[in-house]
Amino acid sequence: MIGSLTFLLAPVSSSSSSPFLSLHRLSCFHSSPSDILRATTRRLALAATKTRSITSMATEEENTGNVKRELEKVFDLALKATVPNETDVRPLIAACTAKFGDYQCNNAMGLWSKIKGKGTEFKGPQPVGQAIMKNLPPSEMIESCSVAGPGFVNVVLSKNWMAKNIQKMLVDGIETWAPKLRVKKAVVDFSSPNIAKEMHVGHLRSTIIGDSLARMLEFSNVEVLRRNHVGDWGTQFGMLIEYLFEKFPNSEDANETAIGELQEFYRRSKNRFDSDPAFKERAQQAVVRLQSGEPKYHEAWAQICEISRKEFDKVYKRLRVDLEEKGESFYNPYIPGVIDELSKQGLVEESQGARVIFIEGVNIPLIIVKSDGGFNYASTDLAALWYRLNEEKAEWIIYVTDVGQQLHFDMVFSAAKRAGWLSADDSTYPKASHVGFGLVLGEDGKRLRTRFSEVVRLVDLLDEAKNRSKAVLIERGKDKEWTEEELEQTAEAVGYGAAKYFDLKNNRLTNYTFSFDQMLNDKGNTAVYLLYAHARICSIIRKSGKDIEELKKTGSLVLDHADERALGLHLLHFSEVIEEALTNLLPNVVCEYLYNLSEYFTRFYSNCQVQ
């Protein structure tokens, strides 16, 4: 699946000979997350390398691979020399979109607004930009500079430095290009389905967006606690347990096969709850008995949870997603102590029989104890946040849910800030972030549903993606060339990967229209197109007969052709793109980078032949 292309996605196959579409039997289809970058760079090396003995770069000063950060260091010296009396000036460096350079320093206009009227020698932003350029210290990074418009300093990178930096990454590993983040440990709370309910298409978004963010953080050397906050506690378990007892008086008969589909089991128990007052009363009593810890009720609850868990795990296995479950029930014992702590700080007030926290700027209070004395989502989420900060020592807690829960989490975070748990400034740690996402729509522009107006089950969507992918492979005659196992593996890899990428390439905040035809298209910004590019790269490397590891050590990368340089420059953007994606919690930024990378590679592939 797409995970073999980038940090967004997981490895796709356990077989190193997994075939790929109609072009290649792709030996690196199941490669590690950063292999598309490595493979592209290796192909660049094959075309642009002149074999000669070189000195190892291991002793040189470590370079993080983040060109923007390296340029900031150079321009910081220039800014201090230009305006020595201005102490709070930080370099504003951005990649260029125009033809004047590769990067740009955009400080001149802002500086001019600060220093004009202070007896400065400068007459406007353009002279400020000229002075910044003049004060730049010598740097092997920079080939040339120019000043455009109101003081923009355009920088053209040295192609020799670019080649050396890329080759250093090849020798030392892609990990040397990982962003340097200030956070050491993070919790990513994602997926979070409800027990006794099947995962639906909405869970696809939370699951893969959360997994993508976790992968990027892990690549950036952050310890990530992947948390599945399943809905495994609450009043609904009373009716489920009571219905279980009713259908299976002998608990030994209540197994996964006998219960059948949990979704249907849930519907039947809900119908009984709504239509039978006596059953409803027993169900309400069952909740009390469960929460008081009666063994019989706790065993029934655990049995229902385990059946659900097995169904969830089947989906996670398909998507190659790893999670550790810590559901609502896990935090339940911590709720009283957390509420007591908040009360001692004077944050909890009485309102219409309930205990609440008032949030500035919000008309409704955050209810943490209901009027009947029961707990709710806010109680659990506050306890979970407290636990993650105090017991797990996380510095950044990220919640991935639909945008409809934004207000709830804003209120929870505000309460935590008032309690002193979180930094008042979201630019410092510890902090919490809500990663909201929009709806998956059908072609009618409405929420994606079946023709019977039911929410689409996630397992059905994945099955359909795999089956359509397999049909295309058979249409291309691959069933005649490959074994059934190879055909199945490839159909799963392409189908599941296409579904993941089709979601991830969209800005998470927007709704998007789901289309199998667009998703499995081999042209445009799709997983299939990227997989074709990846297959082509791996095929070239394999057919070259070169020892790539030896070539990295004994060759010298040269970026003489314009398309070589363009591809090399895009490769060098990698670290800052990952950093941007994490700063804004937007995986689609990496998808766009990968699509553009494949476009640069296609032009390079067409114009720069392997010798």
Side-chain angles (χ1 to χ4, degrees):
M1 67 179 68
I2 263 186
S4 53
L5 298 183
T6 177
F7 308 96
L8 301 180
L9 313 158
V12 297
S13 167
S14 59
S15 168
S16 62
S17 61
S18 177
F20 173 66
L21 297 181
S22 60
L23 293 179
H24 308 284
R25 186 175 295 271
L26 180 60
S27 63
C28 54
F29 188 61
H30 56 284
S31 50
S32 63
S34 54
D35 271 7
I36 192 168
L37 190 72
R38 284 198 196 91
T40 306
T41 314
R42 289 169 181 170
R43 167 64 178 88
L44 178 62
L46 280 171
T49 297
K50 296 178 181 177
T51 303
R52 62 180 178 84
S53 177
I54 62 170
T55 303
S56 170
M57 291 183 240
T59 58
E60 295 182 8
E61 182 180 351
E62 180 184 357
N63 190 297
T64 63
N66 191 318
V67 180
K68 183 178 174 181
R69 294 282 174 257
E70 295 301 305
L71 283 173
E72 284 176 353
K73 296 176 185 177
V74 177
F75 273 91
D76 184 57
L77 296 173
L79 288 166
K80 288 177 178 176
T82 304
V83 284
N85 296 324
E86 300 293 330
T87 58
D88 58 343
V89 178
R90 296 182 60 186
L92 302 177
I93 308 297
C96 272
T97 55
K99 61 182 179 181
F100 302 110
D102 302 321
Y103 283 82
Q104 190 174 74
C105 175
N106 299 323
N107 283 91
M109 290 183 68
L111 267 181
W112 170 243
S113 67
K114 292 182 69 173
I115 63 177
K116 64 181 179 180
K118 294 183 178 181
T120 177
E121 64 183 282
F122 301 112
K123 304 302 182 183
Q126 223 272 350
V128 174
Q130 292 285 355
I132 293 172
M133 182 178 71
K134 180 181 177 181
N135 287 320
L136 279 170
S139 171
E140 65 171 342
M141 293 181 66
I142 299 174
E143 183 173 298
S144 64
C145 289
S146 61
V147 177
F152 300 121
V153 182
N154 295 308
V155 175
V156 176
L157 296 177
S158 162
K159 65 180 181 181
N160 292 333
W161 179 87
M162 291 168 58
K164 187 169 71 170
N165 211 27
I166 293 169
Q167 188 168 348
K168 187 176 190 304
M169 180 276 289
L170 278 170
V171 173
D172 296 342
I174 186 63
E175 295 76 16
T176 60
W177 280 10
K180 308 296 182 184
L181 305 181
R182 289 177 294 138
V183 61
K184 299 300 181 185
K185 181 186 280 192
V187 168
V188 182
D189 180 327
F190 64 104
S191 193
S192 307
N194 288 317
I195 293 295
K197 291 185 178 180
E198 290 196 84
M199 295 176 72
H200 55 74
V201 67
H203 290 112
L204 175 69
R205 302 215 73 183
S206 178
T207 302
I208 64 174
I209 291 171
D211 181 57
S212 301
L213 295 174
R215 287 176 180 276
M216 287 189 284
L217 285 166
E218 288 161 348
F219 173 72
S220 304
N221 299 305
V222 176
E223 180 185 352
V224 179
L225 306 179
R226 295 160 163 261
R227 293 291 179 254
N228 196 3
H229 190 91
V230 298
D232 65 351
W233 201 251
T235 55
Q236 75 273 21
F237 280 96
M239 68 182 190
L240 290 168
I241 291 171
E242 195 59 36
Y243 190 70
L244 184 72
F245 290 160
E246 187 177 275
K247 298 295 291 184
F248 304 100
N250 184 352
S251 61
E252 294 180 358
D253 295 334
N255 53 47
E256 186 175 351
T257 304
I259 291 174
E261 189 180 83
L262 263 181
Q263 187 85 351
E264 183 57 32
F265 186 84
Y266 185 95
R267 286 197 193 99
R268 292 197 300 266
S269 66
K270 183 69 167 64
N271 288 337
R272 290 277 282 124
F273 185 86
D274 292 337
S275 62
D276 187 336
F279 178 87
K280 182 177 182 179
E281 185 176 346
R282 293 198 304 273
Q284 291 170 337
Q285 286 299 313
V287 174
V288 176
R289 292 182 174 185
L290 171 63
Q291 293 180 346
S292 66
E294 286 192 30
K296 176 182 177 182
Y297 289 85
H298 189 274
E299 288 171 9
W301 167 79
Q303 189 173 21
I304 293 169
C305 289
E306 184 59 26
I307 294 172
S308 277
R309 195 172 290 119
K310 289 179 180 178
E311 293 302 312
F312 298 157
D313 286 345
K314 291 177 184 177
V315 174
Y316 296 140
K317 185 177 181 180
R318 292 193 194 194
L319 295 174
R320 295 296 175 99
V321 170
D322 294 321
L323 280 155
E324 181 181 355
E325 182 182 312
K326 272 191 168 65
E328 294 173 1
S329 63
F330 177 86
Y331 303 105
N332 207 52
Y334 296 93
I335 294 176
V338 167
I339 293 175
D340 185 54
E341 178 181 323
L342 294 170
S343 299
K344 288 178 179 178
Q345 293 190 45
L347 301 182
V348 181
E349 302 179 39
E350 297 288 334
S351 177
Q352 298 179 6
R355 301 180 70 188
V356 306
I357 298 175
F358 287 97
I359 306 298
E360 185 177 354
V362 182
N363 292 329
I364 57 174
L366 182 68
I367 301 173
I368 60 173
V369 181
K370 297 184 293 184
S371 57
D372 63 2
F375 302 133
N376 59 8
Y377 288 128
S379 320
T380 305
D381 286 333
L382 282 168
L385 181 56
W386 180 92
Y387 182 88
R388 291 162 177 175
L389 290 166
N390 292 279
E391 297 296 328
E392 295 180 320
K393 307 298 182 184
E395 300 161 87
W396 193 7
I397 300 94
I398 299 168
Y399 297 81
V400 186
T401 74
D402 64 89
V403 292
Q405 298 187 49
Q406 182 71 56
L407 177 60
H408 167 76
F409 281 106
D410 284 348
M411 294 175 72
V412 169
F413 299 162
S414 294
K417 289 177 181 179
R418 287 187 62 192
W421 299 354
L422 299 175
S423 172
D425 181 359
D426 286 337
S427 65
T428 59
Y429 300 103
K431 70 176 182 178
S433 303
H434 178 244
V435 176
F437 54 82
L439 299 174
V440 182
L441 306 177
E443 295 184 355
D444 59 358
K446 299 178 181 178
R447 186 193 292 263
L448 185 64
R449 294 183 180 275
T450 68
R451 57 184 175 177
F452 302 110
S453 298
E454 296 179 345
V455 176
V456 175
R457 299 192 317 162
L458 181 50
V459 68
D460 291 340
L461 183 146
L462 294 175
D463 284 343
E464 182 69 11
K466 171 194 165 184
N467 292 338
R468 291 193 181 215
S469 175
K470 185 175 181 179
V472 171
L473 293 170
I474 292 173
E475 185 180 320
R476 296 180 179 181
K478 296 306 168 187
D479 56 326
K480 307 293 193 301
E481 301 177 23
W482 301 339
T483 66
E484 181 61 26
E485 182 182 4
E486 288 175 332
L487 189 64
E488 283 290 311
Q489 286 179 347
T490 306
E492 287 180 2
V494 177
Y496 300 162
K500 292 174 74 173
Y501 188 84
F502 194 70
D503 188 296
L504 287 170
K505 74 174 185 176
N506 296 282
N507 185 309
R508 59 175 172 77
L509 292 169
T510 62
N511 301 336
Y512 77 91
T513 301
F514 189 88
S515 167
F516 281 110
D517 291 337
Q518 292 181 32
M519 184 180 80
L520 293 168
N521 197 329
D522 60 4
K523 297 178 177 61
N525 189 7
T526 67
V528 181
Y529 176 75
L530 295 185
L531 287 168
Y532 264 118
H534 193 214
R536 188 182 297 124
I537 295 167
C538 292
S539 177
I540 291 169
I541 293 172
R542 187 175 62 253
K543 291 178 180 179
S544 72
K546 299 286 187 180
D547 184 335
I548 299 299
E549 294 304 312
E550 182 63 25
L551 187 63
K552 288 190 297 186
K553 297 174 184 176
T554 61
S556 176
L557 200 64
V558 179
L559 304 178
D560 284 339
H561 194 281
D563 290 322
E564 291 175 341
R565 189 185 187 283
L567 177 57
L569 179 63
H570 192 72
L571 289 168
L572 285 166
H573 288 162
F574 175 74
S575 180
E576 59 205 59
V577 167
I578 300 298
E579 185 174 299
E580 178 190 349
L582 284 173
T583 298
N584 299 309
L585 299 171
L586 292 173
N588 65 291
V589 171
V590 183
C591 293
E592 183 179 359
Y593 172 85
L594 283 175
Y595 175 63
N596 290 333
L597 176 62
S598 66
E599 293 281 272
Y600 279 112
F601 174 77
T602 298
R603 288 195 288 273
F604 161 74
Y605 172 78
S606 301
N607 297 320
C608 303
Q609 300 298 313
V610 176
Q611 301 298 321

